[in-house]
Amino acid sequence: MSAVRSKICGITRIEDALAAVEAGADAIGLVFYAKSPRAVNVQQARAIIKALPPFVTTVGLFVNASRCELGEILDAVPLDLLQFHGDESAQECEGWHRPYIKALRVKAGDDIAAACDAFPGASGVLLDTYVEGVPGGTGEAFDWSLIPQRLSKPLILAGGLTPENVADAVARVKPYAVDVSGGVEASKGIKDHHKIRAFINAVRGNTSSM
């Protein structure tokens, strides 16, 4: 099995972005959702991205953003990948001249394969925990046994991942990538650099023996 990728989401500070890269993160996530405690503005996002070395994917997270808001941000911020975390349709996710992933919030009884198939243009799907009224970042894991064996898109696993449980998650789910935010924080929006290193080491330690 090829190495599982890691994304550190909810980055709000340059030093946290650089710590994630130094630890081996493949991608960093920037949240453009004003209600999130991890939200960044255009100026913060530009400064963080400017500080990054090459070959690190920058991901912008959006929740039901208007076309006007999204267009303005994309004109100002050089994002590599878009992550739609709300109730967006496939049509609303496309047409931005950037690849995108769609987040799906998982609960018992969902047809995850069908939900995945509803976004044929997506580069991948991110599976997160369903919590009523909360679009993501809950810090809660869902029942990984609900995930189908085969999906039509690369799977990014999120929801309640920590340095302590991510190796088990990788072994059981075998995702393309894992995505963490709260699990590597000192406080909301402020990353714990030791936890970032421990998380990525756990992912890599697990994949190296597969």
Side-chain angles (χ1 to χ4, degrees), residues 34-118:
K35 293 180 181 179
S36 170
R38 304 174 181 98
V40 292
N41 59 35
V42 165
Q43 289 74 25
Q44 286 174 291
R46 286 171 62 94
I48 290 167
I49 291 173
K50 186 176 182 181
L52 293 173
F55 307 126
V56 178
T57 301
T58 54
V59 184
L61 186 154
F62 300 91
V63 180
N64 300 326
S66 68
R67 291 193 70 81
C68 179
E69 178 191 4
L70 191 48
E72 287 179 356
I73 290 170
L74 295 186
D75 283 344
V77 184
L79 297 166
D80 299 317
L81 181 70
L82 309 183
Q83 178 175 327
F84 291 101
H85 232 284
D87 305 310
E88 301 90 356
S89 66
Q91 186 176 10
E92 289 170 322
C93 295
E94 293 169 7
W96 297 105
H97 307 294
R98 285 175 178 80
Y100 78 90
I101 56 178
K102 182 68 181 79
L104 304 172
R105 296 184 293 150
V106 177
K107 62 183 186 300
D110 287 353
D111 188 337
I112 297 171
C116 180
D117 292 342

Side-chain angles (χ1 to χ4, degrees), residues 102-165:
K102 182 68 181 79
L104 304 172
R105 296 184 293 150
V106 177
K107 62 183 186 300
D110 287 353
D111 188 337
I112 297 171
C116 180
D117 292 342
F119 293 88
S123 295
V125 291
L126 181 145
L127 299 186
D128 200 354
T129 306
Y130 179 88
V131 175
E132 182 70 36
V134 182
T138 64
E140 297 180 26
F142 63 92
D143 182 356
W144 299 327
S145 69
L146 297 172
I147 302 172
Q149 285 293 314
R150 301 201 184 285
L151 291 172
S152 59
K153 299 289 179 184
L155 164 63
I156 301 134
L157 182 64
L161 296 178
T162 66
E164 291 74 34
N165 71 7

